[in-house]
Amino acid sequence: MKKNVFALVWIVVLLVALAGCGKSNNTNGAAPAAGSTAAPEAGESAAPSTEPVTIKVANWSPAADMEPVLKAYEDSHPGVTLEYVELADNGDSVAGMKKLDLLVASGENLDVVFMPGATDYSQRAGLGLLAPLNDLITKEGITLADEYTIDPSVDGKVYALPDTLENYFVLLNKDKLDAAGLAVPTEWSWDDYLDYAAKLTSGTGPSKTFGTYFHTWAMYWELGIINQEKDNNLVNNGIVNIDSAGIRKSLELRNKAEESGVAVPYADTISQKLAYRSEFFTGHAAMIVTGNWMIGEAGGSEEFPATFTTAFAPMPSNSAGEPSGVSIANGNYVGILEKSKHQQEAYDFIRWYSTEGEQMQNVYSAWKKQDVDQFIAGVKTKAMSPDNIDETSLAYVIKNAKPAPLSVPPTYQGELETAFTKETELFILKQQDLETTISKAQAELQKIVDANK
Amino acid sequence: MKTSVTLPQSREKPTAGSRKRKRLEAGMGYLFTGPMLLGVLVFTLIPMIFSFVLSFTKWSFVTGFDKIRFNGFDNFRQLMQDEVFLKSLGNNFIMLLAVPAGMGIALILAVIITSHVYAPGAFKVIYFMPQISSVVAVAVVWQVLFHPSYGPVNGFLSALGVDHPPKWLADPTYALPSVMLLMIWIDLGVSLIIYIAGIKNIPADLYEAATIDGASKLAQFRSITFPLLTPTTFFLLVTGIIGNFKSFALVKVLTDGGPAHSTSVVVYDMYQTAFVDLQTGYASSMVMILFVIVLAITGLQWLGQRYWVNY
């Protein structure tokens, strides 16, 4: 009896201790913590920009890359202190997003957050994490379409500004191209692409050079729609786009490349978890479809030094008559957290960062007024081995790119991509034929769309 | 804290009766187990209850507590139609085969190692090696061994004249068996060591008596070794099955649940749902189903043990 009473007392004590913990956690998470961490001096939030303000900026880029830009902003905007939160230690954006979610969930008072691509952006906008920027944009009096190449609106509301511009093109190993007697293409279709891949394939065994490499990402299963001006997503305005000529074209392209042995086999890609950078820079694959973030890296990086000249070609078209170089415009997005206490200051910063800040960092941005020539020159000066970047073709590709407006995907884009990839994997691994793949994928994606209505 | 202060006082007055001492002892007991109890409470029990509550909600952990929305049994209803989840659950059950298979191999090896080889210690170390290596390292080594085009496994098979060797990890039909093979290989060491300990505990006179009676080695194994090892087998079976249901790291590193979800398991699906799709509530309901299944299987084993376990 007595023993039981004692045990009860102990449990009560433990529970009380715990409840104490819980309560203090709650208050931390909810409101007043902002006062202590985000703005030590600006306790009363009524005062605007005159009071010193600290803005926490979260990005997955290495601190060394970000800090000079943030420093420049602080210098030109007295009273604003920027605190950088590095989300990943190796520039890995996927790991960065996981860290970001955990930080947000644990009540960290971040103000400005970066997101690597429309899928991550729309998912978080859909969850209500990001503050709508429409009022702030109206207040500044700008029209987004005049400022940026990308339209970042989700269901008519803007939750983030476009940061970098990401459209797609083809990287080519110019040394191998020269050896095969091929010119750098300026207008071409996917058939020409396969033709090039066949001519660039050589050797056998582990040292074989493949014509091309397709990564595991969903975009490599939809190459025939991401080069379209319109309807360039899996689901456009609620209509599932799988049973279409574009997707058929995409899957046939992958299948032809796989069967003729001009692309790195998909089985190797997934079982060895191949990475596109190493495949290209070691010369294992002579061409890859990729995007703007690789422009700087064409000159080599610490991990993958450039041992050959890299040339650039526009995105191929679906058939000979259509224009090359059309590609969906995706990119990084920068938004403000809903619970940020300094919406106006944060907005001022992201406006500056997505325009002049980008220019400083010499990344290819979605800002319409950026100086392309300066960007190309900048790429060369920053590169480790600038001579390995073929400047002529780079300039051609950038100046002739036709970024197609990307309909920012629905908030369940991730689910769509998983379901679609599952079917295409079965197709490329010869578990089901093209028509089965199309009809099954169409039905599955329709289910997801219906469930999210 | 107070109990430790009262300790010298109570020693001064031993006449206060055994009741007080008992209470003191119990108090000390709670004091010493307190930190552990607190740990279990904070890091296991409360999260479990929380997860149970969450399984009836639609919620994402990044959005804050004010956005929790209860939706009754919707999650469970949705799970019953979720092809990926059902596939993962099915894979979990297929994967269970790895437990008895691994135990069988471990038992045979244990018998051989205890009595029939020179330097048994060296063998124990060799078989235990994969267990102490990191799963990631082991997975990467096997990834290379299983390389569909140039890997040693397929090299060997084509040398034997197999025209189209399986693509192992990249083949929807062979991926799951490949993963199970690795699981058996990794967990062999633990079962082996425990079996060896069990075998060492069997009194030698039983074998002597059997030898005098003229029983063959096989008969000895069947009538002495195996029955006397049933408690060990039972222990390994229960822990093995629970461990098997929780397998995650190997799947994550080796195949990411692919190709086409062929190696996805419930815990992997849950991770994907909770931390990639950010659907905490839905993922919690997956965990609840897993919990109920593991509990049921373990319960069945406890009930069934009286028919085959000899203590």
Side-chain angles (χ1 to χ4, degrees):
Chain A
M1 266 285 278
K2 282 273 171 183
K3 220 181 214 174
N4 283 347
V5 171
F6 205 82
L8 210 77
V9 169
W10 252 106
I11 288 170
V12 167
V13 167
L14 289 179
L15 279 178
V16 166
L18 231 125
C21 291
K23 220 173 248 166
S24 65
N25 269 347
N26 276 351
T27 42
N28 268 343
S36 61
T37 48
E41 280 103 83
E44 282 115 73
S45 56
S49 56
T50 45
E51 297 258 349
V53 163
T54 302
I55 293 172
K56 281 193 167 187
V57 180
N59 190 328
W60 57 90
S61 292
D65 291 359
M66 288 290 285
E67 263 152 15
V69 187
L70 302 185
K71 182 85 182 30
Y73 185 77
E74 283 177 340
D75 290 348
S76 57
H77 294 74
V80 178
T81 313
L82 298 168
E83 194 178 313
Y84 184 53
V85 181
E86 195 188 72
L87 293 174
D89 18 273
N90 51 358
D92 179 350
S93 63
V94 179
M97 278 303 101
K98 288 200 179 116
K99 177 90 177 285
L100 174 69
D101 293 338
L102 286 175
L103 283 180
V104 171
S106 62
E108 177 96 5
N109 286 283
L110 300 173
D111 298 287
V112 172
V113 294
F114 285 77
M115 287 149 292
T119 309
D120 281 306
Y121 159 50
S122 68
Q123 186 183 26
R124 281 163 189 81
L127 287 170
L129 281 188
L130 303 172
L133 304 177
N134 297 49
D135 293 347
L136 290 163
I137 292 167
T138 326
K139 200 170 143 198
E140 198 196 342
I142 52 161
T143 314
L144 274 192
D146 297 341
E147 291 281 319
Y148 301 101
T149 333
I150 298 174
D151 172 21
S153 49
V154 176
D155 298 333
K157 275 198 167 177
V158 176
Y159 295 92
L161 296 180
D163 169 26
T164 60
L165 173 71
E166 193 175 284
N167 57 1
Y168 304 105
F169 48 72
V170 180
L171 283 194
L172 305 107
N173 184 330
K174 193 158 186 296
D175 293 6
K176 292 199 194 275
L177 221 57
D178 292 343
L182 297 166
V184 179
T186 50
E187 283 289 323
W188 60 341
S189 66
W190 285 119
D191 294 329
D192 300 327
Y193 184 86
L194 282 179
D195 193 38
Y196 263 62
K199 286 180 181 150
L200 290 166
T201 305
S202 63
T204 49
S207 58
K208 179 173 176 178
T209 298
F210 287 94
T212 183
Y213 167 80
F214 297 108
H215 200 49
T216 52
W217 296 342
M219 68 168 256
Y220 290 95
W221 299 107
E222 33 184 298
L223 291 168
I225 59 169
I226 63 170
N227 63 352
Q228 297 300 305
E229 292 275 5
K230 277 183 192 147
D231 296 340
N232 45 26
N233 208 342
L234 291 173
V235 171
N236 304 296
N237 305 318
I239 297 160
V240 180
N241 192 24
I242 301 297
D243 196 356
S244 64
I247 290 289
R248 278 203 174 75
K249 179 84 195 168
S250 316
L251 295 183
E252 274 163 8
L253 166 74
R254 290 293 303 271
N255 193 41
K256 273 185 205 159
E258 179 92 8
E259 285 199 327
S260 54
V262 302
V264 176
Y266 188 66
D268 288 13
T269 307
I270 53 169
S271 72
Q272 305 303 306
K273 301 207 169 178
L274 298 179
Y276 59 92
R277 284 191 183 84
S278 55
E279 286 300 292
F280 182 71
F281 285 112
T282 56
H284 195 220
M287 301 191 287
I288 53 169
V289 177
T290 188
N292 303 59
W293 69 92
M294 288 292 281
I295 293 178
E297 294 186 47
S301 57
E302 290 279 335
E303 202 180 356
F304 300 109
T307 52
F308 53 82
T309 308
T310 298
F312 300 77
M315 189 77 168
S317 62
N318 281 354
S319 59
E322 295 172 40
S324 306
V326 182
S327 135
I328 53 165
N330 200 342
N332 294 347
Y333 291 81
V334 52
I336 303 169
L337 284 191
E338 172 83 78
K339 57 180 186 179
S340 165
K341 293 280 171 296
H342 309 288
Q343 303 274 349
Q344 182 62 51
E345 290 86 351
Y347 176 76
D348 292 342
F349 169 69
I350 64 174
R351 269 288 289 154
W352 179 86
Y353 187 89
S354 61
T355 53
E356 285 160 57
E358 296 282 85
Q359 196 91 308
M360 259 193 72
Q361 236 186 345
N362 206 54
V363 288
Y364 197 61
S365 79
W367 189 33
K368 281 193 169 163
K369 291 163 195 160
Q370 85 166 329
D371 187 340
V372 176
D373 290 314
Q374 193 198 323
F375 168 71
I376 295 171
V379 166
K380 284 227 144 188
T381 51
K382 278 180 93 179
M384 282 176 69
S385 23
D387 296 341
N388 283 334
I389 301 176
D390 184 55
E391 198 175 331
T392 343
S393 60
L394 175 61
Y396 179 84
V397 165
I398 289 184
K399 288 180 178 166
N400 290 284
K402 304 171 186 75
L406 168 82
S407 47
V408 169
T411 52
Y412 48 93
Q413 175 79 4
E415 284 175 63
L416 294 177
E417 290 183 354
T418 314
F420 178 55
T421 313
K422 182 197 148 207
E423 296 302 329
T424 54
E425 276 191 324
L426 289 173
F427 169 63
I428 207 84
L429 294 168
K430 304 211 185 323
Q431 306 287 314
Q432 64 189 17
D433 63 27
L434 180 66
E435 284 314 311
T436 321
T437 308
I438 297 273
S439 62
K440 275 173 72 185
Q442 173 84 18
E444 289 205 8
L445 266 62
Q446 189 63 52
K447 251 194 254 168
I448 297 175
V449 171
D450 292 344
N452 283 285
K453 252 174 197 164
Chain B
M1 278 300 167
K2 265 190 180 164
T3 45
S4 66
V5 178
T6 55
L7 184 69
Q9 288 175 353
S10 66
R11 261 193 193 152
E12 280 161 22
K13 291 181 237 168
T15 47
S18 61
R19 238 167 150 207
K20 195 172 182 185
R21 208 175 50 219
K22 256 191 182 163
R23 196 192 297 163
L24 188 72
E25 269 176 17
M28 290 307 279
Y30 285 115
L31 188 70
F32 280 112
T33 51
M36 174 68 189
L37 277 179
L38 194 70
V40 168
L41 204 67
V42 175
F43 295 111
T44 312
L45 216 58
I46 290 182
M48 264 175 77
I49 295 165
F50 189 49
S51 168
F52 178 72
V53 173
L54 283 184
S55 66
F56 299 103
T57 64
K58 188 174 167 65
W59 184 58
S60 171
F61 75 99
V62 293
T63 54
F65 290 117
D66 49 328
K67 293 212 172 128
I68 293 185
R69 218 177 67 229
F70 280 88
N71 63 355
F73 285 93
D74 276 8
N75 285 345
F76 295 96
R77 227 168 282 142
Q78 199 184 334
L79 273 179
M80 290 306 110
Q81 290 158 9
D82 184 337
E83 276 178 44
V84 180
F85 176 74
L86 295 177
K87 172 101 188 163
S88 306
L89 198 60
N91 286 342
N92 259 133
F93 279 103
I94 297 172
M95 246 185 206
L96 286 186
L97 293 176
V99 178
M103 282 165 54
I105 299 171
L107 178 57
I108 295 167
L109 285 173
V111 171
I112 296 172
I113 287 173
T114 31
S115 50
H116 300 288
V117 295
Y118 180 70
F123 282 93
K124 280 188 226 168
V125 172
I126 289 171
Y127 283 109
F128 207 71
M129 225 41 151
Q131 186 69 36
I132 53 174
S133 321
S134 113
V135 179
V136 178
V138 168
V140 169
V141 170
W142 279 88
Q143 206 171 299
V144 177
L145 291 178
F146 276 141
H147 193 298
S149 318
Y150 322 118
V153 175
N154 276 1
F156 176 71
L157 285 179
S158 40
L160 287 181
V162 180
D163 274 344
H164 295 287
K167 292 194 170 78
W168 302 113
L169 296 170
D171 192 322
T173 34
Y174 287 93
L176 190 60
S178 310
V179 173
M180 284 162 66
L181 215 68
L182 249 82
M183 279 178 135
I184 295 176
W185 184 71
I186 291 174
D187 292 332
L188 198 59
V190 176
S191 324
L192 186 72
I193 299 289
I194 294 175
Y195 266 133
I196 289 176
I199 290 174
K200 291 257 168 78
N201 266 337
I202 299 174
D205 46 355
L206 292 177
Y207 289 106
E208 283 163 19
T211 317
I212 292 166
D213 286 346
S216 69
K217 284 276 178 211
L218 200 66
Q220 284 181 19
F221 174 80
R222 212 173 46 226
S223 314
I224 302 172
T225 316
F226 191 74
L228 288 181
L229 279 181
T230 44
T232 315
T233 309
F234 178 66
F235 167 74
L236 286 175
L237 196 67
V238 173
T239 52
I241 284 180
I242 294 174
N244 195 288
F245 263 110
K246 295 196 297 186
S247 50
F248 168 74
L250 195 61
V251 169
K252 171 78 184 136
V253 183
L254 212 54
T255 60
D256 266 328
H261 304 305
S262 60
T263 57
S264 177
V265 289
V266 174
V267 182
Y268 181 78
D269 193 21
M270 181 221 72
Y271 163 81
Q272 202 73 7
T273 312
F275 299 105
V276 179
D277 298 344
L278 302 179
Q279 302 174 349
T280 316
Y282 192 50
S284 296
S285 56
M286 290 182 182
V287 179
M288 280 306 123
I289 290 192
L290 188 68
F291 174 74
V292 169
I293 291 175
V294 173
L295 201 69
I297 290 186
T298 311
L300 277 179
Q301 290 183 93
W302 276 104
L303 290 177
Q305 63 164 323
R306 73 175 84 153
Y307 301 108
W308 64 278
V309 179
N310 310 297
Y311 286 105

